[in-house]
């Protein structure tokens, strides 16, 4: 769903939107980091090209033998995250928060402390790897002696950090409400649905509470059905749909003077089923 988010950023930027600060979690950390280094239209075009190029990739390559060996040897992960490390290295040339053109803050989850940690200095690539380290899939990332996993565990939409940083207006792209999870038919469906409920409830609670302190424009695009974890085959179409969504709702998000309008802005988007033709 990061491609959908990138498309929204592309559409907003083309209409003149420029963030003064970026807070990112999980895939939002990856998109946010690239945009922080390359703000403006050139940056979102680069971001769009990243997702286009990923369409034929399979970043979760499950080798049953290797997975079994890692379980037997008590490894902390099932799959190496070399793919993501390479991707970040290709697009972040000066690996320091101080080198970004827009101030950047990345949320990850500290395993030992069992709470959110926000990175804003040091290595950007390590912070992104930590924030995108899906628990149980990718290895926790060690930074200064502590281990970190996906920021979505503690802050899937980190409005709190933006408010603490003094934001008076927040434009938030929420991916937790993107698609409906079907009724459970097995144990994994029950687990997936449970996690989905927790994430949505957290977002709804934070918007209600923090909306009393600042103006929040919450963008909630929805698709018919979500791609599977690691499935990037719909990346190009999701990118296009995200951009079109931004174009349609941008006039509702901002008044004639460019001031942000608080509220929730959602819309159902049509994503082709597997096997359907995808425009290029």
């Amino acid at each position: 769903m990061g491609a959908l988010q990138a498309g929204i950023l592309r559409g907003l930027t083309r209409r003149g939107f420029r963030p003064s600060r970026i807070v990112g979690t999980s895939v939002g950390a990856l998109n946010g980091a690239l945009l922080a280094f390359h703000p403006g239209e050139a940056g979102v075009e680069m971001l769009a090209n990243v997702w286009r190029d990923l369409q034929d990739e399979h970043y979760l390559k499950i080798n049953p033998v290797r997975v079994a060996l890692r379980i037997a040897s008590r490894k902390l992960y099932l799959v190496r995250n070399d793919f993501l490390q390479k991707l970040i290295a290709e697009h972040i040339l000066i690996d320091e928060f101080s080198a970004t053109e827009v101030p950047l803050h990345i949320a990850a989850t500290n395993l030992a402390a069992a709470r959110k940690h926000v990175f804003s200095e040091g290595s950007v690539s390590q912070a992104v790897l930590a924030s995108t380290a899906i628990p149980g899939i990718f290895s926790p990332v060690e930074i200064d002696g502590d281990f970190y996993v996906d920021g979505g565990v503690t802050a899937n939409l980190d409005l709190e950090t933006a408010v603490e940083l003094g934001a008076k207006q927040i434009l938030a792209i929420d991916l937790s409400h993107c698609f409906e999870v079907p009724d459970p038919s097995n144990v994994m469906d029950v687990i997936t649905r449970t996690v989905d409920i927790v994430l949505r409830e957290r977002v709804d609670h934070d918007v209600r509470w923090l909306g009393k302190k600042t103006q929040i424009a919450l963008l909630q695009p929805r698709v018919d059905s979500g791609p599977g974890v690691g499935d990037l085959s719909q990346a190009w179409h999701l990118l296009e749909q995200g951009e079109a969504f931004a174009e349609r709702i941008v006039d509702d998000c901002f008044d004639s003077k460019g001031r942000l309008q608080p509220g929730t802005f959602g819309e159902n988007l049509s994503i082709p089923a597997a096997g359907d033709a995808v425009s290029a």
Side-chain angles (χ1 to χ4, degrees), residues 50-113:
V50 167
W51 285 102
R52 281 197 200 96
D53 293 342
L54 292 179
Q55 184 159 297
D56 296 324
E57 295 283 352
H58 300 279
Y59 80 90
L60 283 182
K61 297 179 180 179
I62 305 296
N63 183 311
V65 175
R66 289 181 179 176
V67 168
L69 287 173
R70 284 167 185 155
I71 292 174
S73 60
R74 298 184 179 182
K75 293 287 187 181
L76 299 178
Y77 64 95
L78 297 181
V79 182
R80 295 180 61 87
N81 58 359
D82 298 348
F83 172 85
L84 190 55
Q85 289 179 321
K86 180 181 177 183
L87 178 66
I88 296 170
E90 288 175 351
H91 296 92
I92 297 179
L93 302 181
I94 303 177
D95 191 14
E96 288 287 338
F97 276 90
S98 59
T100 63
E101 292 194 33
V102 175
L104 174 67
H105 303 265
I106 292 176
T109 300
N110 185 311
L111 275 179

Side-chain angles (χ1 to χ4, degrees), residues 35-48:
L35 193 62
F37 277 98
H38 309 281
E41 290 196 41
V44 294
E45 289 307 311
M46 181 204 70
L47 186 58

